[in-house]
Amino acid sequence: MINVAIDGPAGAGKSSIAAAVAGKVGYIYVDTGALYRAVAYSVIKNGTDPSDSEKVISLLSKLQVELKFVDKCQRVFVNDEDVSDMIRTPEVSMGASVVSAIGEVRNFLFELQKKIARENNVIMDGRDIGTVVLPDAQLKIFLTASPQERARRRYEEIKDKQDVSFDEILIDIIKRDENDMNRAVSPLRQAKDAVLVDTTEMSIEEVISCIESMIRKL
């Protein structure tokens, strides 16, 4: 099986780019961030503070998180409920960054990610795919862009759906970067053998073409 790992900070476009490339090369796209969002959503829905690690850990035994591919599109289920659309709010985004720092949460989702990669040609994106989840991936990419550009893209994506300002998104992204890079468990970092792709001055079409080209050469 061919495994492609794409890591990078929040708002770098990993999900949309990985999904587009997967469609072009016929691989399954695995959005690991959605798994952490699913846990965060369940924690928040339960009325639990995502930073209360003991309570978060106690909830894990009651959660069944699954990825299902419907018409080649990834859908996220928690206890048989499709939560794919509910996990995209800023509150859940920040909650995901917090719960992802809990080792027990990462272990909870680790085997699911590994199992999918063992059984399929995949493009998997996240924060620690190339460093921890798929250290033997045939291709590792670290996708990034400046915080301002990432905030601009996210703002354009959600401004008509949510009442949020550019400055709020920028602050959120900077805070998530700090959380992700400084957490004790599996911090965000570029794998030594990963290809750095800075998309600040690139269009999404250029990024997709660049990564597709790298995969075709495997």
Side-chain angles (χ1 to χ4, degrees):
M1 295 299 168
I2 301 295
N3 292 170
V4 177
I6 300 181
D7 291 307
K14 298 185 302 295
S15 298
S16 55
I17 288 167
V21 174
K24 286 181 173 293
V25 298
Y27 290 11
I28 285 178
Y29 163 55
V30 182
D31 175 7
T32 62
L35 300 176
Y36 289 99
R37 286 171 177 268
V39 172
Y41 169 79
S42 300
V43 167
I44 294 168
K45 184 179 179 182
N46 186 69
T48 298
D49 184 340
S51 64
D52 189 335
S53 58
E54 288 188 10
K55 288 187 178 180
V56 171
I57 293 167
S58 71
L59 291 175
L60 296 178
S61 63
K62 304 172 186 177
L63 299 182
Q64 180 185 22
V65 180
E66 298 177 280
L67 290 182
K68 298 181 181 180
F69 298 92
V70 182
D71 295 329
K72 296 185 178 181
C73 292
Q74 176 186 270
R75 305 295 293 179
V76 186
F77 289 77
V78 176
N79 299 338
D80 295 322
E81 177 190 7
D82 187 341
V83 299
S84 305
D85 298 326
M86 285 89 84
I87 62 175
R88 298 297 172 182
T89 67
E91 181 184 16
V92 172
S93 294
M94 184 54 69
S97 181
V98 174
V99 301
S100 68
I102 302 172
E104 287 82 355
V105 173
R106 304 197 75 82
N107 291 336
F108 174 70
L109 297 173
F110 184 76
E111 282 306 318
L112 172 60
Q113 297 169 45
K114 296 282 285 187
K115 181 176 185 294
I116 296 172
R118 281 195 303 268
E119 298 174 354
N120 303 276
N121 292 329
V122 301
I123 297 179
M124 188 178 294
D125 80 308
R127 303 289 193 279
D128 65 345
I129 308 305
T131 54
V132 177
V133 181
L134 300 178
D136 298 321
Q138 288 88 343
L139 175 62
K140 300 176 187 178
I141 294 167
F142 193 84
L143 195 70
T144 190
S146 69
Q148 292 76 14
E149 177 62 15
R150 287 185 278 134
R152 185 193 67 77
R153 293 172 184 172
R154 184 63 61 87
Y155 177 70
E156 291 298 325
E157 179 184 358
I158 68 174
K159 66 180 182 180
D160 294 330
K161 305 173 186 176
Q162 300 174 27
D163 183 17
V164 63
S165 71
F166 170 83
D167 288 341
E168 288 173 322
I169 294 175
L170 179 59
I171 291 169
D172 178 63
I173 279 179
I174 292 172
K175 186 175 181 179
R176 289 188 66 189
D177 284 354
E178 183 178 354
N179 287 346
D180 292 341
M181 290 187 290
N182 294 297
R183 67 189 181 206
V185 181
S186 301
L188 169 66
R189 60 184 175 83
Q190 181 179 340
K192 292 181 179 178
D193 54 346
V195 179
L196 176 65
V197 179
D198 187 329
T199 70
T200 302
E201 302 294 334
M202 299 173 69
S203 69
I204 188 170
E205 291 79 12
E206 289 172 330
V207 180
I208 291 169
S209 178
C210 173
I211 296 176
E212 180 187 359
S213 176
M214 285 188 269
I215 293 174
R216 299 286 187 192
K217 293 176 182 176
L218 293 176

